[in-house]
Amino acid sequence: KNKQNIFASTLDQPEVDYIKSEKFLYADKVFQFDFLNDDLFGYKVPSELKDILNDEEKRKKLIILINPPYAEAGNKKMVSGTGKNKSKVAISNNTYLKYSDKLVGNAKREIFTQFMMRIKEEIPYSKLAIFSTLKALQAPSFKEFRKNFNLKLKKLFIVPANSFDNVGTGSNFPIAFHIYDTEINEVFNDNVTWGCCGGC
């Protein structure tokens, strides 16, 4: 109902073209953008969005909704020889190079944590909403990341991964929708015991 307030970016130009052709949003608010490499204030970003990014008060009304890719630099399958190393995807980008000191441990190789860290550092006074697994909140190997990504987790709900299209019926691990407030610094308490209902 408020398309004038919605901007959309995606990595692949054909997706941009499709969104514009179907007129889901206003064409001048849809743009191709590589979030891990491109400049937030570069030529690709609409000037109206740049104005919001430059204004602390306007950013307080900015909600950033992301469903980032989940490529890793390496995983157990890769180590055992049954998968492929995606290190070029995860560690050959500007965000990784810029924030590698904060993306410690296993968080270094996770693209979704790179998205999260860039937003925390470069778009403060905004709200971040993200679909992701729970490893950033639970995994022991992400403990140091949680200290560096010290944003207030306002809300969270969990659903089985196979609730999503194109996810196998046997994939019953949990996917969470997290909402963070970048105005409030608070290290997540990873000693809390989480429960899940609805078939997770």
Side-chain angles (χ1 to χ4, degrees):
K1 292 182 179 180
N2 296 299
K3 288 198 294 185
Q4 71 274 11
N5 295 328
I6 300 174
F7 298 87
S9 72
T10 183
L11 181 62
D12 297 319
Q13 185 61 43
E15 293 180 354
V16 174
D17 297 339
Y18 175 72
I19 294 171
K20 289 182 177 181
S21 68
E22 294 297 320
K23 299 181 180 180
F24 294 125
L25 299 172
Y26 293 125
D28 62 345
K29 295 178 183 290
V30 183
F31 56 104
Q32 186 279 330
F33 192 76
D34 180 348
F35 194 84
L36 295 179
N37 287 296
D38 290 338
D39 183 357
L40 285 173
F41 298 96
Y43 71 95
K44 292 184 176 182
V45 180
S47 57
E48 186 181 351
L49 181 55
K50 289 180 193 175
D51 291 341
I52 294 170
L53 295 173
N54 270 317
D55 189 309
E56 181 179 310
E57 288 303 311
K58 289 180 180 179
R59 286 200 311 270
K60 290 180 180 180
K61 296 182 179 180
L62 177 63
I63 299 171
I64 304 168
L65 176 63
I66 59 175
N67 183 23
Y70 293 104
E72 298 179 33
N75 54 37
K76 289 181 180 178
K77 286 185 178 180
M78 182 275 294
V79 172
S80 66
T82 59
K84 293 182 179 180
N85 192 328
K86 296 182 179 179
S87 59
K88 289 183 180 179
V89 176
I91 63 175
S92 298
N93 65 72
N94 293 334
T95 299
Y96 174 86
L97 296 174
K98 189 172 183 179
Y99 298 114
S100 60
D101 60 324
K102 297 180 184 295
L103 293 162
V104 294
N106 282 5
K108 277 182 181 284
R109 69 186 194 188
E110 295 278 1
I111 286 182
F112 84 96
T113 58
Q114 295 175 23
F115 271 68
M116 294 167 71
M117 191 59 71
R118 186 177 191 191
I119 291 169
K120 174 189 182 293
E121 296 294 326
E122 299 182 33
I123 318 178
Y125 302 100
S126 62
K127 306 295 183 288
L128 166 61
I130 175 174
F131 284 101
S132 76
T133 63
L134 291 168
K135 62 174 70 174
L137 300 180
Q138 292 183 317
S141 57
F142 281 71
K143 194 173 188 69
E144 291 303 312
F145 169 77
R146 288 190 281 276
K147 292 179 182 178
N148 290 321
F149 187 78
N150 56 339
L151 299 184
K152 173 70 174 179
L153 179 62
K154 299 285 286 187
K155 297 284 184 180
L156 174 147
F157 70 82
I158 303 172
V159 297
N162 55 23
S163 302
F164 292 87
D165 292 340
N166 302 317
V167 177
T169 56
S171 301
N172 59 355
F173 60 90
I175 291 288
F177 183 69
H178 314 69
I179 300 176
Y180 292 94
D181 189 336
T182 68
E183 291 187 65
I184 304 173
N185 291 332
E186 179 182 286
V187 177
F188 180 75
N189 180 4
D190 53 15
N191 293 318
V192 174
T193 300
W194 289 83
C196 179
C197 59
C200 285

